[in-house]
Amino acid sequence: IKTILWQRKSKIKVRWSVPYVAGLYALACQVNPNITPELFWEIAFNTGDTTPTGLGIVANPARLIEEVGNLQ
């Protein structure tokens, strides 16, 4: 599994990440009601940005939602 900033494996406290990702998923569902959680995660990993500090991948909401919209 790829490391992403909001995963437990991160050294950063990630309590903020659960509502953040839930919000992104809610937006993705508005754009494409047929998106599955699995597809959401795949797109989130593929559209995220790598941090310069090597912490992993950070979600890029604009690219994520654009890609979800392109699925239709």
Side-chain angles (χ1 to χ4, degrees):
I1 293 178
K2 298 176 185 176
T3 303
I4 194 158
L5 190 58
W6 57 66
Q7 282 187 327
R8 293 185 316 220
K9 294 180 181 178
S10 175
K11 295 179 184 176
I12 295 176
K13 292 185 179 182
V14 293
R15 288 181 221 179
W16 59 268
S17 64
V18 173
Y20 182 78
V21 174
L24 289 177
Y25 185 68
L27 289 172
C29 287
Q30 288 181 342
V31 172
N32 183 347
N34 297 318
I35 192 164
T36 63
E38 294 80 11
L39 184 56
F40 170 80
W41 280 112
E42 180 181 334
I43 294 170
F45 282 118
N46 291 333
T47 59
D49 297 317
T50 303
T51 62
T53 57
L55 291 175
I57 298 172
V58 178
N60 183 319
R63 279 198 300 224
L64 174 78
I65 297 305
E66 182 180 353
E67 186 65 28
V68 170
N70 291 336
L71 295 175
Q72 296 182 358

